Structure formats: C-alpha cells, structure tokens
Amino acid sequence: QVQMVESGGGSVQSGGSLKLSCVISESTSSTYCMAWFRQAPGEERERVAAIDSNGNTIYADSVKGRFTISQDNAKNTLYLQMNNLKPEDTAMYYCAATWRAQCLLLPNEYINWGQGTQVTVSS
C-alpha cells in the first residue's frame, strides 16, 4: 500500500518560511495528483496546492504567490515551500494522493494520506 509521511512543520513568526516534505512509497502508477491540504481548528479541511502527473500546479487563492508545490521524483518526495507566512496559515498540514489525471478539490476524493504536520504562525 502507498504510504505518505509528512515532516517540516513548526512554529514561526509572521513573515517567516517553512518547507514541508512528504515522502511517498514506491508506486507503479503513472497517473496521479499529489496535494497538500490543511485544516485549522473549527475549519473545513481545504486543499492549498496540488501537482499532477504532467507537472501542472494549482493553488488556493489564499496562498498564491506565497506557497510553491514541487516534487522530486527521484526521491519520491513532495514539497511545499511556504513563504511570508501569516497567522491564518496556522493549521495541520497533510499530504494526499489520488490516482487520477485530474487534481480534485475535495478531501474525500483523495485516497492516500499522511499523518499531518503542524504549522503554527504567530504575530
């Protein structure tokens, strides 16, 4: 079974940066979408960024220009570079995968999930 493990979370001040990593086990699937979701207390889980098999990326409006999703296929690792962090970015961040050509929006459309890594941004 596919396994995903996140790391890189932590506590930073507003304006700071963090880089999250997600190590993904080997897969024979050539079609996929890898995504980062986040969930703050009392909020719905939301997709913040995604990247598909062709390298196309998509971002939530709230993080455009600040976050960058990327993938190192040789290392089977997904990344989320987060710059200019704001208190409203505080959340548990999860990596997820779905084995479809399209990057879907809703959490229940993703099959594999990591355990989450906490990001806390203070003023």
Side-chain angles (χ1 to χ4, degrees), residues 4-122:
M4 308 178 75
V5 180
E6 306 98 331
S7 62
S11 297
V12 297
Q13 295 182 352
S14 295
S17 298
L18 286 172
K19 188 172 185 177
L20 307 183
S21 299
C22 175
V23 178
I24 306 160
S25 63
E26 291 286 340
S27 175
T28 59
S29 297
S30 60
T31 300
Y32 60 82
C33 175
M34 304 291 176
W36 288 96
F37 286 79
R38 68 185 182 188
Q39 187 168 24
E43 302 291 336
E44 297 287 331
R45 187 170 296 189
E46 65 171 342
R47 193 186 72 184
V48 298
I51 184 168
D52 69 17
S53 308
N54 296 316
N56 299 310
T57 59
I58 188 168
Y59 298 92
D61 288 341
S62 59
V63 307
K64 284 181 179 178
R66 300 189 298 120
F67 290 11
T68 302
I69 188 170
S70 62
Q71 185 177 23
D72 185 336
N73 290 327
K75 296 181 178 180
N76 289 329
T77 302
L78 182 73
Y79 301 99
L80 184 67
Q81 177 66 52
M82 304 184 293
N83 297 324
N84 192 23
L85 284 161
K86 304 175 180 180
E88 49 264 46
D89 296 317
T90 296
M92 185 73 74
Y93 284 71
Y94 302 87
C95 57
T98 186
W99 309 102
R100 305 183 186 184
Q102 293 182 317
C103 287
L104 304 176
L105 181 64
L106 300 180
N108 62 8
E109 295 167 330
Y110 288 77
I111 306 301
N112 301 106
W113 291 83
Q115 81 288 350
T117 185
Q118 179 68 39
V119 171
T120 302
V121 185
S122 60

